[in-house]
Tab-separated table of all heavy atoms in Angstrom:
chain	number	residue	atom	x	y	z
A	1	HIS	N	0.130	6.858	7.629
A	1	HIS	CA	-1.197	7.419	7.929
A	1	HIS	C	-1.462	8.645	7.068
A	1	HIS	O	-2.566	8.808	6.517
A	1	HIS	CB	-1.297	7.780	9.412
A	1	HIS	CG	-2.595	8.429	9.785
A	1	HIS	ND1	-3.774	7.720	9.886
A	1	HIS	CD2	-2.913	9.742	10.045
A	1	HIS	CE1	-4.756	8.540	10.206
A	1	HIS	NE2	-4.255	9.787	10.315
A	2	GLY	N	-0.467	9.512	6.911
A	2	GLY	CA	-0.649	10.716	6.118
A	2	GLY	C	-0.944	10.403	4.661
A	2	GLY	O	-1.821	11.024	4.044
A	3	LEU	N	-0.239	9.416	4.114
A	3	LEU	CA	-0.477	9.031	2.723
A	3	LEU	C	-1.832	8.337	2.559
A	3	LEU	O	-2.522	8.543	1.556
A	3	LEU	CB	0.657	8.127	2.230
A	3	LEU	CG	2.015	8.821	2.075
A	3	LEU	CD1	3.110	7.794	1.810
A	3	LEU	CD2	1.973	9.849	0.953
A	4	LEU	N	-2.195	7.541	3.541
A	4	LEU	CA	-3.504	6.879	3.478
A	4	LEU	C	-4.630	7.906	3.479
A	4	LEU	O	-5.591	7.791	2.699
A	4	LEU	CB	-3.672	5.935	4.675
A	4	LEU	CG	-2.896	4.623	4.635
A	4	LEU	CD1	-3.099	3.855	5.942
A	4	LEU	CD2	-3.337	3.771	3.469
A	5	GLU	N	-4.528	8.907	4.335
A	5	GLU	CA	-5.563	9.934	4.398
A	5	GLU	C	-5.663	10.708	3.091
A	5	GLU	O	-6.744	11.109	2.668
A	5	GLU	CB	-5.282	10.893	5.562
A	5	GLU	CG	-5.527	10.308	6.931
A	5	GLU	CD	-6.980	9.856	7.100
A	5	GLU	OE1	-7.889	10.644	6.770
A	5	GLU	OE2	-7.196	8.712	7.547
A	6	ALA	N	-4.516	10.877	2.414
A	6	ALA	CA	-4.506	11.649	1.176
A	6	ALA	C	-5.064	10.858	-0.005
A	6	ALA	O	-5.618	11.445	-0.933
A	6	ALA	CB	-3.084	12.099	0.859
A	7	LEU	N	-4.954	9.532	0.036
A	7	LEU	CA	-5.223	8.740	-1.167
A	7	LEU	C	-6.369	7.742	-1.039
A	7	LEU	O	-6.836	7.205	-2.049
A	7	LEU	CB	-3.949	7.975	-1.559
A	7	LEU	CG	-2.708	8.834	-1.829
A	7	LEU	CD1	-1.483	7.946	-1.960
A	7	LEU	CD2	-2.896	9.689	-3.073
A	8	LYS	N	-6.848	7.471	0.173
A	8	LYS	CA	-7.772	6.356	0.380
A	8	LYS	C	-9.106	6.530	-0.344
A	8	LYS	O	-9.777	5.546	-0.659
A	8	LYS	CB	-8.015	6.141	1.872
A	8	LYS	CG	-8.750	7.298	2.541
A	8	LYS	CD	-8.955	7.021	4.033
A	8	LYS	CE	-9.721	8.170	4.710
A	8	LYS	NZ	-9.936	7.889	6.147
A	9	ASP	N	-9.516	7.766	-0.608
A	9	ASP	CA	-10.814	7.977	-1.246
A	9	ASP	C	-10.809	7.627	-2.735
A	9	ASP	O	-11.875	7.362	-3.311
A	9	ASP	CB	-11.256	9.436	-1.080
A	9	ASP	CG	-11.586	9.785	0.363
A	9	ASP	OD1	-11.890	8.847	1.133
A	9	ASP	OD2	-11.517	10.980	0.715
A	10	ASP	N	-9.645	7.640	-3.343
A	10	ASP	CA	-9.560	7.436	-4.793
A	10	ASP	C	-8.865	6.138	-5.200
A	10	ASP	O	-8.981	5.713	-6.355
A	10	ASP	CB	-8.821	8.606	-5.453
A	10	ASP	CG	-9.524	9.927	-5.222
A	10	ASP	OD1	-10.747	9.994	-5.457
A	10	ASP	OD2	-8.859	10.889	-4.791
A	11	TYR	N	-8.150	5.523	-4.282
A	11	TYR	CA	-7.331	4.374	-4.665
A	11	TYR	C	-7.457	3.244	-3.639
A	11	TYR	O	-7.790	3.477	-2.472
A	11	TYR	CB	-5.851	4.781	-4.766
A	11	TYR	CG	-5.625	5.978	-5.667
A	11	TYR	CD1	-5.368	7.242	-5.129
A	11	TYR	CD2	-5.687	5.837	-7.057
A	11	TYR	CE1	-5.169	8.347	-5.962
A	11	TYR	CE2	-5.493	6.933	-7.890
A	11	TYR	CZ	-5.239	8.180	-7.338
A	11	TYR	OH	-5.052	9.266	-8.162
A	12	SER	N	-7.156	2.037	-4.092
A	12	SER	CA	-6.992	0.908	-3.183
A	12	SER	C	-5.541	0.929	-2.706
A	12	SER	O	-4.623	1.137	-3.500
A	12	SER	CB	-7.290	-0.407	-3.892
A	12	SER	OG	-8.628	-0.433	-4.352
A	13	ILE	N	-5.340	0.720	-1.409
A	13	ILE	CA	-4.016	0.902	-0.825
A	13	ILE	C	-3.476	-0.415	-0.280
A	13	ILE	O	-4.166	-1.126	0.450
A	13	ILE	CB	-4.040	1.946	0.311
A	13	ILE	CG1	-4.699	3.243	-0.151
A	13	ILE	CG2	-2.627	2.210	0.814
A	13	ILE	CD1	-3.987	3.962	-1.261
A	14	LEU	N	-2.246	-0.719	-0.649
A	14	LEU	CA	-1.470	-1.785	-0.023
A	14	LEU	C	-0.429	-1.136	0.869
A	14	LEU	O	0.108	-0.077	0.525
A	14	LEU	CB	-0.757	-2.640	-1.075
A	14	LEU	CG	-1.594	-3.557	-1.968
A	14	LEU	CD1	-0.763	-4.036	-3.148
A	14	LEU	CD2	-2.079	-4.748	-1.162
A	15	VAL	N	-0.092	-1.751	1.993
A	15	VAL	CA	0.873	-1.180	2.924
A	15	VAL	C	1.961	-2.192	3.236
A	15	VAL	O	1.680	-3.361	3.511
A	15	VAL	CB	0.175	-0.731	4.232
A	15	VAL	CG1	1.217	-0.298	5.274
A	15	VAL	CG2	-0.798	0.406	3.964
A	16	ALA	N	3.215	-1.713	3.195
A	16	ALA	CA	4.356	-2.513	3.624
A	16	ALA	C	5.238	-1.634	4.503
A	16	ALA	O	5.497	-0.473	4.169
A	16	ALA	CB	5.151	-3.021	2.424
A	17	THR	N	5.691	-2.179	5.621
A	17	THR	CA	6.513	-1.400	6.551
A	17	THR	C	7.996	-1.733	6.454
A	17	THR	O	8.791	-1.215	7.239
A	17	THR	CB	6.037	-1.621	8.001
A	17	THR	OG1	6.060	-3.022	8.305
A	17	THR	CG2	4.625	-1.085	8.187
A	18	ASP	N	8.354	-2.593	5.506
A	18	ASP	CA	9.779	-2.869	5.281
A	18	ASP	C	9.983	-3.301	3.839
A	18	ASP	O	9.024	-3.606	3.106
A	18	ASP	CB	10.303	-3.937	6.255
A	18	ASP	CG	9.532	-5.246	6.189
A	18	ASP	OD1	9.310	-5.760	5.060
A	18	ASP	OD2	9.137	-5.768	7.248
A	19	GLY	N	11.247	-3.358	3.428
A	19	GLY	CA	11.588	-3.675	2.048
A	19	GLY	C	11.156	-5.053	1.587
A	19	GLY	O	10.537	-5.195	0.522
A	20	PRO	N	11.474	-6.112	2.342
A	20	PRO	CA	11.080	-7.463	1.900
A	20	PRO	C	9.578	-7.605	1.695
A	20	PRO	O	9.134	-8.248	0.738
A	20	PRO	CB	11.587	-8.357	3.037
A	20	PRO	CG	12.745	-7.611	3.612
A	20	PRO	CD	12.356	-6.162	3.529
A	21	LYS	N	8.779	-7.002	2.602
A	21	LYS	CA	7.322	-7.083	2.452
A	21	LYS	C	6.875	-6.326	1.204
A	21	LYS	O	5.955	-6.760	0.495
A	21	LYS	CB	6.638	-6.492	3.691
A	21	LYS	CG	5.107	-6.622	3.675
A	21	LYS	CD	4.672	-8.086	3.674
A	21	LYS	CE	3.168	-8.203	3.776
A	21	LYS	NZ	2.715	-9.608	3.728
A	22	ALA	N	7.535	-5.214	0.904
A	22	ALA	CA	7.193	-4.439	-0.295
A	22	ALA	C	7.435	-5.268	-1.550
A	22	ALA	O	6.591	-5.304	-2.460
A	22	ALA	CB	8.020	-3.157	-0.337
A	23	VAL	N	8.566	-5.946	-1.620
A	23	VAL	CA	8.873	-6.785	-2.781
A	23	VAL	C	7.861	-7.918	-2.889
A	23	VAL	O	7.380	-8.239	-3.985
A	23	VAL	CB	10.311	-7.330	-2.685
A	23	VAL	CG1	10.579	-8.326	-3.817
A	23	VAL	CG2	11.327	-6.197	-2.732
A	24	GLU	N	7.519	-8.527	-1.762
A	24	GLU	CA	6.555	-9.632	-1.746
A	24	GLU	C	5.200	-9.189	-2.278
A	24	GLU	O	4.584	-9.871	-3.126
A	24	GLU	CB	6.408	-10.166	-0.328
A	24	GLU	CG	5.367	-11.261	-0.190
A	24	GLU	CD	5.089	-11.633	1.264
A	24	GLU	OE1	5.934	-11.319	2.136
A	24	GLU	OE2	4.013	-12.203	1.531
A	25	LEU	N	4.713	-8.034	-1.814
A	25	LEU	CA	3.406	-7.560	-2.246
A	25	LEU	C	3.418	-7.148	-3.718
A	25	LEU	O	2.475	-7.435	-4.463
A	25	LEU	CB	2.962	-6.378	-1.393
A	25	LEU	CG	2.580	-6.686	0.061
A	25	LEU	CD1	2.276	-5.409	0.818
A	25	LEU	CD2	1.370	-7.622	0.117
A	26	ALA	N	4.481	-6.484	-4.125
A	26	ALA	CA	4.561	-6.022	-5.516
A	26	ALA	C	4.598	-7.177	-6.490
A	26	ALA	O	4.065	-7.089	-7.602
A	26	ALA	CB	5.780	-5.129	-5.703
A	27	GLN	N	5.214	-8.270	-6.096
A	27	GLN	CA	5.337	-9.428	-6.988
A	27	GLN	C	4.271	-10.480	-6.714
A	27	GLN	O	4.348	-11.592	-7.229
A	27	GLN	CB	6.731	-10.036	-6.842
A	27	GLN	CG	7.827	-9.091	-7.307
A	27	GLN	CD	9.217	-9.689	-7.220
A	27	GLN	OE1	9.428	-10.675	-6.518
A	27	GLN	NE2	10.167	-9.089	-7.914
A	28	GLY	N	3.250	-10.115	-5.949
A	28	GLY	CA	2.168	-11.033	-5.636
A	28	GLY	C	1.196	-11.182	-6.792
A	28	GLY	O	1.437	-10.704	-7.903
A	29	PRO	N	0.058	-11.825	-6.524
A	29	PRO	CA	-0.920	-12.097	-7.596
A	29	PRO	C	-1.574	-10.845	-8.165
A	29	PRO	O	-2.072	-10.859	-9.283
A	29	PRO	CB	-1.950	-13.008	-6.917
A	29	PRO	CG	-1.813	-12.732	-5.447
A	29	PRO	CD	-0.371	-12.401	-5.235
A	30	THR	N	-1.606	-9.749	-7.395
A	30	THR	CA	-2.221	-8.499	-7.884
A	30	THR	C	-1.229	-7.358	-7.690
A	30	THR	O	-1.311	-6.609	-6.717
A	30	THR	CB	-3.528	-8.199	-7.131
A	30	THR	OG1	-3.269	-8.205	-5.712
A	30	THR	CG2	-4.588	-9.222	-7.467
């Protein structure tokens, strides 16, 4: 939440709450 509040106005945000999801999103289509 703290990072989203700091960055949401300038960037598009992806969120992952664990390692496997982070790898999946990073290696996804975008």
Side-chain angles (χ1 to χ4, degrees):
H1 177 74
L3 291 171
L4 285 176
E5 288 300 312
L7 302 170
K8 66 180 181 179
D9 292 337
D10 300 310
Y11 307 104
S12 299
I13 308 297
L14 290 166
V15 173
T17 56
D18 57 48
K21 184 63 175 178
V23 174
E24 177 189 341
L25 289 175
Q27 295 182 342
T30 54

